[in-house]
Amino acid sequence: MVRTRLPLVVRRALAEPLLLAAAFGSILLATTAISALLLHAGSATQAGVRRALETAPLAATATVVTSSVAAGDFAGADRAVRAGIAHAHGEVPVRVTVRVESASYALKGQDRGDDQPVLTRFAAYEGLDGQADLVSGRWPAETKTAMVEVALSEPAARVMGVATGDEFTVVGRLDGKSARVRVTGVFRLRDPDDPRWKGEELLRYGTRTGDFTSRGPLVVPAGTFLDRFATGASARWLAEPDLRRLSPDRLRPFSASVAGASAAVRAGCPRCTVTETLSGTLLRLDRGALVARSTMLVPVLQLLVLSAYALALTARLLAEHRRMETALLRSRGGGSPRLAAMAAGEALLIALPCAPAAPFLAPVLLRLVSAFPWIEATGVEPPRSPDGSTFAVAAAVALACAAMLAAPPLLAARRTYVEEQAARGRADRPGLVQRAGADVALLVLAALAVWRLRGQDAPETTRLGGELGLDPLVGAGPALALLCGGMAALRLVPAVARAAERATRRRPGFGPAVAARQVSRRPARYSGPALLLTMAMAIGVLSLTTAATWRGAQEDRARHLAGAALRVPALPGDDARTFTTLPGVTAAVPAHRARVVADGADATLIAADAAHLGRALLLRPDLSELSPATLASRIAGSAGQPLPVVVTPGLADTVRITAGTAAIPIKVVGVVAAMPGTPEGTPALLADLSALRAAGAKGAEWPVTEWWLAAEGHDTTRAAAALATTGRGRGDVVDVAALTAGYRDDPTAAGMQGALLLGFAAALAFAVLGFLVNAAVSARERRGEFAVLGALGVSFRQTLGLLAVEQSFVIGLSLAGGVALAVAVSAAVVPPMVTAGHATGGGLPVLLHVPWPQVAVLAVAVLAVLLVIVAGLARSLHRREPAAVLRAGEAS
């Protein structure tokens, strides 16, 4: 009685629980997966930007202001600089410290008659006591007496031969005034390699050699400096912003604000020179965030296409199952508005509950994905609760699904009962999409999208006003390519079925002949599941390939930048035994790195010992036709000959380089696409260190600046740990394992892999669900057919064989076609997509990696699941009593 009082649309829906449950599952899966993918893209992008801002070097974020100052105008200049920097940084906290340095002073007795006096300088450093520890004594204090209290760094005290309590006199080189100083303390910098001390070689090392030798500095309080040593002084302000709370949507506006720092500072300090790199860094991060979001949208678009087709397939099955009912309703006076209202109401009844449910299920799904170790290691925290945009996305997807679910019944409502009866007796015809040639049009569109993707560095475009935005055509390229490939594969189903029918026509065997005849008569019944499985398999293989290619690119970038398993800066007294005694190190190659001028532009020169270089050089095989050992043998030169070098492509015609004031003739003996040990895209030359010393100008020194170490199996763990115990395991040491881990744990890279994992799992779920529903509906429609076969004595084994052969057309074509399609699409779109994701141009080429073992496991797993479904279907059909089914058919 309760059911009779329900609205007609509800009663009609309850009459088809299987199909409507499948439709509900498809819509819920689509809304949840797409909401989760978009949430994941946002959280991974934010984590990537946050990680980049937290780890950005000071040189990429700091603003440096320099100016000459005097005692009378320092206070005004200091206020102007601090106010200008604060105005440019707005709401972002910024710490400003200043260093002032005097003109040169000479030690008493060396101020006259000495062409090469040893000089020193007075200096005041704001906040130095927080960056250094006293070794002895105390920090100097301001005094009104003639004696000046100073502090010295430990290296300066050592080279000057003084200690705490010593006194000496210095004389100004400009004004000739003398000053008596007392050393009150000796300090040690906590981290001499801290980027804030860049350019402060005198403070770091205690000595500086140029036209003159300087030692010091003599550190005094700021008040003492301004009162007594401000003549000819220079000031340097360092602004360090705190970017930890800067959100990705503020990168571009904040970059524009910081770019105005120079004008803001110079408005109050015209003599000041401002150098800032933060605005460019922020723009690069903003572009990288845009590229990351766009690449993570690729699985979203693929899933959209797949979910749309899966839902369309379910809707078509529902419409076909109800077409006689719909035609009968129409013949009894049901007009199009009434039928449309029923179809729309039923679709909304199914889809609308998914809109509020999906946003709460999406974070749960993301937490499951984040449990994978390589994603968990990045620190990307999945959102705990949905936001407003998630509900909007879920609602939009649910409404789109409802429209797709209602479309086939509306189209089917145009037929009358007589036309429907006539249509049932005709064989399946090719679908409307194929008859109209839309698959060809989509193929052209997909080709255009792939061409656009391969022809640019990143999937972005410039909007009006100069703002960057996503290029939807480029982002949709992989999804369109998969859809077109799958639709092209549909044309194979009738042809393969006809060929199989001819092959089995005159052969004994019940199952193959009947199955081939069934598929040949009604190919459209199998084309839908075939396309769904093909696309799902292709998306799965494409996801595996993209993830493998991404990881391979990360490893290649780390190996290329390192150049060797370990690169260690050279210190006085180092030799080969210093490093070959480290655990796991098999070779140590001395090298000299320098900036040279080649063809009028800067380039990097690496001169290494050719005798052992082949054992340490990490050169990817595709970057050169020659092996590292062959390259090393070619650069070994002899005295009196041009220096043999291996160069990057832009330097292939170079005949001379200039290092300092020395002009060195060279001979190019090899070309590599990119030089190991240098950043991607850097012009570089590789030479033999001995040959360079022989070919260089007289008196030129080519000291060893770094050591390239080879490790057994490229395992640097033990060697890096041993270096750390000596105090050399940090700073400028380049470790290929640490670089690889840094790239692998990058949130953006893990975000892409997490998105691929989500899309991959959702694609397989759609495929299994679609195949299961199609098989169940097909079984229900063919109960009479199998009842007749059962009455004729067909056994379960024969029934299983019939269904297995029949479904092998779908399964076999789908698995083989999906793998082939994925490999073809991957070759076209994955390398440029990964290149765009790295946001680098002109760098290391990305190589395609197809993980065939994982692909095979995937194919076997999908095959096993589908065969279980087929076996269950055969068991269900065979267990039915033939007599009861046949009598039900007579009664109807």
Side-chain angles (χ1 to χ4, degrees):
M1 294 299 293
V2 176
R3 184 168 180 177
T4 59
R5 290 194 292 269
L6 293 175
L8 176 60
V9 64
V10 177
R11 297 201 305 271
R12 194 166 183 246
L14 293 177
E16 297 293 343
L18 175 62
L19 286 173
L20 294 184
F24 176 80
S26 298
I27 297 174
L28 183 61
L29 179 60
T31 52
T32 302
I34 292 173
S35 299
L37 281 169
L38 294 177
L39 275 176
H40 179 72
S43 60
T45 301
Q46 289 184 0
V49 170
R50 186 167 58 250
R51 171 78 66 86
L53 291 174
E54 291 175 352
T55 60
L58 190 64
T61 60
T63 299
V64 178
V65 182
T66 57
S67 177
S68 59
V69 295
D73 58 9
F74 172 77
D78 186 59
R79 286 194 299 270
V81 170
R82 294 177 188 271
I85 290 176
H87 179 268
H89 287 75
E91 74 281 4
V92 174
V94 59
R95 177 174 178 263
V96 181
T97 55
V98 63
R99 180 271 293 158
V100 284
E101 189 177 67
S102 72
S104 297
Y105 283 73
L107 295 177
K108 183 85 172 177
Q110 296 183 349
D111 53 327
R112 296 179 181 177
D114 194 338
D115 293 335
Q116 296 293 329
V118 176
L119 306 179
T120 189
R121 295 174 183 269
F122 288 91
Y125 293 87
E126 181 180 357
L128 179 63
D129 54 350
Q131 303 293 330
D133 297 317
L134 285 169
V135 177
S136 62
R138 59 176 175 81
W139 292 105
E142 294 186 22
T143 61
K144 300 298 183 180
T145 63
M147 183 69 68
V148 179
E149 293 187 354
V150 302
L152 286 171
S153 67
E154 193 174 35
R158 184 167 53 251
V159 297
M160 294 178 69
V162 297
T164 299
D166 289 352
E167 299 180 3
F168 54 91
T169 302
V170 295
V171 179
R173 298 276 287 176
L174 293 181
D175 55 15
K177 295 181 179 180
S178 62
R180 187 70 178 171
V181 302
R182 176 188 297 125
V183 179
T184 63
V186 176
F187 63 88
R188 178 188 301 133
L189 291 176
R190 293 173 184 169
D191 185 5
D193 295 326
D194 192 315
R196 63 170 45 88
W197 306 127
K198 184 179 180 180
E200 300 284 350
E201 282 74 22
L202 191 61
L203 179 67
R204 295 170 63 190
Y205 305 117
T207 183
R208 181 172 60 200
T209 302
D211 295 335
F212 298 92
T213 299
S214 297
R215 293 173 181 172
L218 308 179
V219 179
V220 297
T224 301
F225 183 93
L226 294 176
D227 288 343
R228 304 189 59 174
F229 307 109
T231 302
S234 63
R236 177 179 180 269
W237 289 266
L238 177 67
E240 305 173 61
D242 184 357
L243 303 173
R244 290 175 295 180
R245 297 184 180 179
L246 187 63
S247 59
D249 60 322
R250 290 287 302 152
L251 291 178
R252 187 167 292 273
F254 184 54
S255 172
S257 177
V258 172
S262 179
V265 169
R266 289 177 61 83
C269 181
R271 295 195 309 271
C272 289
T273 301
V274 181
T275 304
E276 69 86 14
T277 57
L278 179 57
S279 61
T281 300
L282 294 174
L283 286 177
R284 287 191 295 273
L285 280 178
D286 182 68
R287 179 178 180 271
L290 176 67
V291 170
R293 288 194 299 269
S294 65
T295 52
M296 280 186 274
L297 283 179
V298 171
V300 175
L301 296 174
Q302 292 176 358
L303 190 57
L304 276 173
V305 172
L306 184 64
S307 60
Y309 187 77
L311 190 61
L313 181 61
T314 303
R316 193 193 73 179
L317 290 173
L318 182 61
E320 287 184 354
H321 188 69
R322 285 179 169 174
R323 60 183 179 177
M324 295 304 301
E325 174 188 333
T326 304
L328 186 59
L329 289 174
R330 190 173 182 85
S331 68
R332 291 183 177 180
S336 296
R338 175 64 173 170
L339 294 176
M342 290 179 60
E346 187 177 59
L348 291 175
L349 183 66
I350 298 171
L352 286 184
C354 300
F360 293 101
L361 294 175
V364 178
L365 184 59
L366 287 179
R367 285 195 287 274
L368 293 177
V369 173
S370 299
F372 284 82
W374 66 86
I375 298 178
E376 186 180 17
T378 65
V380 178
E381 288 289 337
R384 295 291 178 181
S385 59
D387 53 13
S389 61
T390 308
F391 283 97
V393 168
V397 174
L399 289 176
C401 291
M404 295 191 63
L405 189 61
L410 293 178
L411 295 176
R414 295 177 301 175
R415 290 179 177 176
T416 66
Y417 183 81
V418 176
E419 291 173 340
E420 197 64 50
Q421 286 281 31
R424 293 186 66 182
R426 294 194 296 265
D428 292 331
R429 295 181 298 170
L432 176 62
V433 174
Q434 289 182 340
R435 294 200 306 270
D439 51 351
V440 178
L442 281 175
L443 182 61
V444 173
L445 187 62
L448 177 62
V450 171
W451 173 74
R452 289 279 301 276
L453 177 60
R454 293 180 64 86
Q456 60 185 43
D457 293 334
E460 58 189 25
T461 186
T462 303
R463 299 172 180 166
L464 294 177
E467 295 185 0
L468 288 178
L470 300 183
D471 187 338
L473 181 61
V474 174
L480 288 174
L482 290 177
L483 179 59
C484 292
M487 293 179 65
L490 284 183
R491 296 186 181 274
L492 297 177
V493 175
V496 172
R498 287 193 297 269
E501 184 181 7
R502 287 193 297 268
T504 58
R505 186 176 299 165
R506 294 183 175 85
R507 293 189 178 182
F510 171 76
V514 175
R517 176 60 179 166
Q518 178 69 21
V519 177
S520 178
R521 287 182 61 250
R522 303 182 65 84
R525 169 179 290 175
Y526 303 92
S527 297
L531 177 57
L532 181 62
L533 285 176
T534 298
M535 289 185 59
M537 189 67 186
I539 290 175
V541 176
L542 181 63
S543 299
L544 292 175
T545 301
T546 305
T549 301
W550 194 289
R551 289 193 297 269
Q554 291 168 336
E555 295 172 359
D556 290 343
R557 292 179 72 200
R559 288 165 60 90
H560 175 79
L561 186 59
L566 281 169
R567 266 197 295 124
V568 185
L571 293 179
D574 283 345
D575 58 17
R577 281 190 52 81
T578 304
F579 303 103
T580 54
T581 55
L582 295 175
V585 174
T586 58
V589 182
H592 174 83
R593 183 186 295 264
R595 301 294 295 176
V596 299
V597 177
D599 287 340
D602 287 344
T604 299
L605 172 66
I606 299 174
D609 181 12
H612 302 287
L613 180 61
R615 300 171 61 188
L617 188 67
L618 298 180
L619 178 65
R620 205 173 69 181
D622 68 297
L623 298 180
S624 174
E625 297 178 353
L626 306 175
S627 67
T630 303
L631 290 175
S633 65
R634 288 196 175 187
I635 62 176
S638 56
Q641 300 293 326
L643 178 67
V645 294
V646 173
V647 300
T648 51
L651 305 177
D653 298 327
T654 305
V655 296
R656 188 181 304 273
I657 60 173
T658 302
T661 59
I664 304 173
I666 64 172
K667 176 184 178 182
V668 176
V669 296
V671 177
V672 293
M675 186 66 68
T678 64
E680 301 172 41
T682 302
L685 307 92
L686 179 65
D688 177 31
L689 183 57
S690 299
L692 176 64
R693 288 169 174 168
K698 291 184 178 180
E701 296 184 3
W702 309 100
V704 175
T705 60
E706 57 191 37
W707 288 83
W708 291 37
L709 311 183
E712 186 176 356
H714 305 306
D715 183 4
T716 62
T717 306
R718 293 181 298 161
L723 277 174
T725 60
T726 65
R728 300 178 67 173
R730 61 175 185 171
D732 296 329
V733 173
V734 179
D735 182 357
V736 67
L739 283 176
T740 302
Y743 286 137
R744 185 187 60 233
D745 295 341
D746 178 68
T748 303
M752 181 62 179
Q753 296 186 45
L756 292 171
L757 180 61
L758 272 173
F760 167 65
L764 291 185
F766 273 119
V768 173
L769 180 61
F771 185 84
L772 177 61
V773 171
N774 186 78
V777 172
S778 176
R780 188 168 61 180
E781 291 179 349
R782 299 170 64 187
R783 284 180 299 181
E785 173 187 338
F786 281 92
V788 172
L789 294 177
L792 294 175
V794 175
S795 65
F796 168 73
R797 191 173 181 180
Q798 290 176 309
T799 302
L800 179 60
L802 168 61
L803 289 174
V805 174
E806 185 178 303
Q807 295 298 327
S808 68
F809 289 97
V810 176
I811 298 174
L813 284 176
S814 299
L815 296 185
V819 172
L821 176 61
V823 172
V825 173
S826 297
V829 304
V830 169
M833 189 168 64
V834 172
T835 301
H838 285 157
T840 57
L844 203 65
V846 173
L847 300 181
L848 181 69
H849 293 273
V850 181
W852 290 112
Q854 298 179 32
V855 171
V857 170
L858 172 63
V860 171
V862 173
L863 178 62
V865 172
L866 298 183
L867 290 180
V868 168
I869 294 175
V870 172
L873 175 61
R875 176 63 64 182
S876 173
L877 289 172
H878 187 72
R879 282 181 175 178
R880 294 183 181 272
E881 291 292 335
V885 175
L886 292 175
R887 281 196 300 269
E890 292 173 359
S892 63

